[in-house]
Amino acid sequence: MNSFNHIARGIEAELRRQIETWESGGQVVQETLDYEVKSDTVTPRRRKEEADDYRYFPEPDLVPLEPEVAAVERLRSEVPELPGARIRRFETQYELPYYDAEVLNGSAALAALYEQVALDGIDAKAASNVLMNDFVATGIDPAAVDGAELAKLIAARSTLPRETFTRALAESADPEFRAGTYLGDTLVSDAAELEPLIERVLADHPSQVAAYKGGKEGLLGFFVGQVMKETEGKADPKVVNELLRSKLSA
């Protein structure tokens, strides 16, 4: 076969032949077939059952292996979450598009850093965009970055000059890295100061509050973002996250 079209037509012809064979009471056997393009039919070339090349033999030096069920279950429990399962979880837990989930799981370290950032209450999609693009472009090892500090930086990204945000990302692997260095003033973490602002944000978005209480917990990042916008990025996102969860569950 010298074209994809002929391959497709050959498969279709073989499907028809096998259906006709079974429906007429015959039996399909293993054999090599030729496909005739002009007649759109397949014809037998040679049978396979009797050819040594197509026969299978048990390996005489290998004994049957039947591990105990308990051992299998123990080993299964020790296997870490596999990339495929984590991709599916990212899609459901963080409501990410498949593309984002796949890219973030390109390395276990990047996936772990994303979870540190996302669990701090940052908008899931915004965190994904930053990590997939700006952060990856720095070439930094994700395992060397403090996710909590990076979350503060991402939460305040809209209030920072682009060059400041880029420089901060490039320096985020430094053990001494603190987001507050680039945010100017010290982050606001006083609950008494943040609570009135949070209550106002929730009052201004009743439909989102109802949706969150209805099960769309991914909206927590939206509320955090609104609070960060109101404070020009100076609120501590971890404290904001905790206060929002408390008020939304009340």
Side-chain angles (χ1 to χ4, degrees):
M1 298 219 180
N2 58 4
S3 78
F4 288 113
N5 179 48
H6 289 172
I7 292 173
R9 290 175 58 189
I11 293 172
E12 292 171 356
E14 173 60 5
L15 285 172
R16 291 195 303 271
R17 187 189 72 84
Q18 290 197 21
I19 291 171
E20 291 171 0
T21 300
W22 283 112
E23 291 183 344
S24 64
Q27 185 174 1
V28 176
V29 297
Q30 292 188 69
E31 57 189 348
T32 300
L33 303 169
D34 286 332
Y35 173 63
E36 301 292 341
V37 177
K38 291 183 179 179
S39 62
D40 193 28
T41 59
V42 290
T43 56
R45 173 180 287 270
R46 68 175 183 273
R47 294 288 179 91
K48 294 184 177 181
E49 281 85 350
E50 301 304 323
D52 288 343
D53 289 349
Y54 300 105
R55 298 174 67 185
Y56 299 90
F57 302 92
E59 170 54 60
D61 296 327
L62 295 179
V63 298
L65 180 63
E66 297 182 4
E68 295 181 357
V69 174
V72 172
E73 293 303 320
R74 177 180 59 79
L75 292 172
R76 181 179 287 120
S77 68
E78 294 174 359
V79 175
E81 185 179 27
L82 298 179
R86 194 163 57 234
I87 287 173
R88 290 189 292 274
R89 180 168 63 79
F90 275 31
E91 289 182 279
T92 55
Q93 182 175 345
Y94 302 111
E95 300 181 354
L96 289 177
Y98 175 80
Y99 175 79
D100 293 47
E102 184 181 35
V103 172
L104 291 170
N105 280 280
S107 79
L110 184 61
L113 178 59
Y114 174 78
E115 295 218 73
Q116 291 179 44
V117 172
L119 289 175
D120 259 319
I122 305 305
D123 178 81
K125 178 59 177 170
S128 174
N129 289 340
V130 171
L131 287 179
M132 289 194 306
N133 299 293
D134 303 278
F135 179 81
V136 169
T138 66
I140 291 174
D141 178 6
V145 178
D146 184 329
E149 290 299 319
L150 184 61
K152 297 174 185 178
L153 184 67
I154 294 175
R157 69 195 182 286
S158 61
T159 68
L160 296 173
R162 178 66 182 178
E163 59 273 15
T164 300
F165 181 68
T166 301
R167 185 176 74 256
L169 281 179
E171 298 174 0
S172 60
D174 188 325
E176 302 299 320
F177 174 81
R178 295 294 180 271
T181 303
Y182 305 89
L183 304 183
D185 300 333
T186 303
L187 291 176
V188 178
S189 57
D190 185 352
E193 185 175 348
L194 292 172
E195 279 185 342
L197 175 59
I198 289 173
E199 290 174 355
R200 186 169 75 247
V201 166
L202 295 178
D204 289 343
H205 300 88
S207 60
Q208 285 87 348
V209 170
Y212 177 90
K213 292 185 175 181
K216 293 198 67 174
E217 296 187 0
L219 283 169
L220 182 67
F222 165 78
F223 294 120
V224 173
Q226 294 300 309
V227 174
M228 298 304 293
K229 184 184 297 184
E230 291 289 334
T231 61
E232 297 183 346
K234 294 182 173 63
D236 187 328
K238 188 171 184 179
V239 176
V240 172
N241 179 46
E242 293 171 352
L243 291 173
L244 279 168
R245 286 184 185 277
S246 175
K247 291 187 178 296
L248 286 168
S249 63

